[in-house]
Amino acid sequence: MNYKRYFLTSESVTEGHPDKVCDLISDSILNACLEQDSESRVAVETFISNGQVNIAGQITTNATINIESITREVLKNVGYDSAKFNMDYKTCKINVNITKQSNDIAIGVDDGGAGDQGIMFGYACVETENLMPYAIDTAHKLAQKLTQVRKNGEIPYLRSDGKIQVTVEYINDFPFRIDTILISTQHNENISIEELENDIIEKVIKTTIDDDMIDYQTKFLINPTGKFTIGGAVADTGLTGRKIIVDTYGGYAHHGGGAFSGKDATKVDRSVAYMLRHIAKNIVINGLARKCEIQASYGIGIAEPLSLYIECFGTNTIPECEIIKIIKETFNLTPRGIIEYLDLKKPIYSRTTNYGHFGREEFTWEKVRQI
């Protein structure tokens, strides 16, 4: 019997990974603005490295916020408490360079147009209950579990930086088994690799992964270098928007290239990506396809999308042109329409930062509707 077999790997990271720390600082600044002024225009980037945080971007708001205080609170909450091992939230240097949004951009946005030009994608499939690809969904679950056992003291010697990779064997385009789980996690000094391996396998992996997806050939790679005590912004730099594949579909679907964190919803990189995930999910939920990817493109200052494309990979139950027609008749795809429909002026964004922006039922773009 002929069958299609391949391996696909997806990655997640914990909240102490320096890129994710930057995402969270940017999203926390956005949240603080929206808490006081729902019409805030925010585009903030954060860069951290070895005792220094640099924050730059554009903010137009009536809110009064203390960016340095917000930043130090984020660093404290993610466990950045050591100048030797990650970064010390109390003593690190924080540089802020914020201006207002360009009037040239504001003209188009004020009239309901897109805050930038670009392409965005949304995706859904039947591999998991939340209609996310299995590899990225599993990687996120492991990352969340790693954080949970650190915070609740079950594995008390862990620190907050970490990365997870999950390699899945697919048979006929459906996940068959997990081939490899790679977990690199920061830890305190004087912990043996044997103790770490045992704790991660028993308390993280085996309590998270379904037994039927692991077999005698599945490989567990725990801290392959043997030591990971120095991490965070001491071992690496961090930058907002550098984990866009982690944020979306783990490489299983296309990505338009635009990052999410630190941007208010007039930035179509974020709001349209959320909307397209919502539409793709509902196409699958409503039985129009088992797998669906949608692309939209926008022009700066222009309200309606310039193009709309759909690919169902031969799984659709009605012609794709008919699905496009249903989308156009059902959903308002202007930035203003998307913001209103998904209720995107609320300060929800720091909750989106870690463990993926999709597949989590708490967000409006994950809600199910009849179409």
Side-chain angles (χ1 to χ4, degrees), residues 146-162:
L146 198 60
T147 298
Q148 179 184 327
V149 298
R150 173 177 65 86
K151 289 185 172 181
N152 68 17
E154 194 172 350
I155 308 182
Y157 56 81
L158 295 181
R159 299 190 73 91
S160 62
D161 194 358

Side-chain angles (χ1 to χ4, degrees), residues 244-296:
I244 57 177
I245 301 303
V246 172
D247 288 343
T248 52
Y249 307 104
Y252 199 89
H254 288 96
H255 195 294
F260 298 157
S261 291
K263 298 177 181 178
D264 73 89
T266 65
K267 313 300 187 296
V268 286
D269 283 337
R270 186 170 212 165
S271 54
V272 172
Y274 289 175
M275 188 65 176
L276 295 181
R277 160 63 181 175
H278 175 73
I279 296 171
K281 179 176 181 178
N282 278 283
I283 286 170
V284 174
I285 281 283
N286 283 274
L288 302 182
R290 296 191 308 277
K291 184 187 298 187
C292 177
E293 182 177 75
I294 307 172
Q295 184 210 62

Side-chain angles (χ1 to χ4, degrees), residues 118-261:
I119 57 175
M120 305 86 207
F121 287 88
Y123 182 80
C125 64
V126 295
E127 292 182 15
T128 58
E129 289 185 3
N130 59 9
L131 304 188
M132 289 289 288
Y134 181 79
I136 186 65
D137 190 56
T138 304
H140 286 324
K141 287 177 179 176
L142 288 168
Q144 287 178 297
K145 186 66 173 183
L146 198 60
T147 298
Q148 179 184 327
V149 298
R150 173 177 65 86
K151 289 185 172 181
N152 68 17
E154 194 172 350
I155 308 182
Y157 56 81
L158 295 181
R159 299 190 73 91
S160 62
D161 194 358
K163 299 180 77 172
I164 296 89
Q165 280 184 194
V166 177
T167 301
V168 177
E169 180 180 353
Y170 279 75
I171 302 293
N172 293 333
D173 291 327
F174 205 78
F176 176 67
R177 57 179 289 273
I178 293 175
D179 182 76
T180 306
I181 294 175
L182 166 58
I183 296 180
S184 295
T185 179
Q186 189 183 11
H187 57 86
N188 293 338
E189 294 182 294
N190 303 318
I191 299 299
S192 71
I193 186 63
E194 291 78 17
E195 180 181 3
L196 178 67
E197 285 181 346
N198 181 73
D199 281 346
I200 295 300
I201 291 171
E202 296 298 324
K203 298 177 182 180
V204 176
I205 295 175
K206 289 187 177 180
T207 61
T208 303
I209 307 299
D210 293 335
D211 291 340
D212 61 353
M213 291 300 291
I214 296 176
D215 58 28
Y216 71 96
Q217 291 182 304
T218 300
K219 297 177 286 293
F220 300 143
L221 305 177
I222 313 300
N223 282 18
T225 66
K227 185 179 180 182
F228 185 2
T229 58
I230 298 173
V234 174
D236 197 3
T237 59
L239 182 65
T240 299
R242 202 157 54 179
K243 286 291 175 281
I244 57 177
I245 301 303
V246 172
D247 288 343
T248 52
Y249 307 104
Y252 199 89
H254 288 96
H255 195 294
F260 298 157
S261 291

Side-chain angles (χ1 to χ4, degrees), residues 4-25:
K4 182 180 180 182
R5 177 174 181 254
Y6 57 90
F7 295 82
L8 185 137
T9 302
S10 292
E11 172 193 59
S12 185
V13 297
T14 60
E15 61 188 43
H17 187 283
D19 290 334
K20 272 292 148 204
V21 173
C22 291
D23 285 346
L24 186 55
I25 291 170

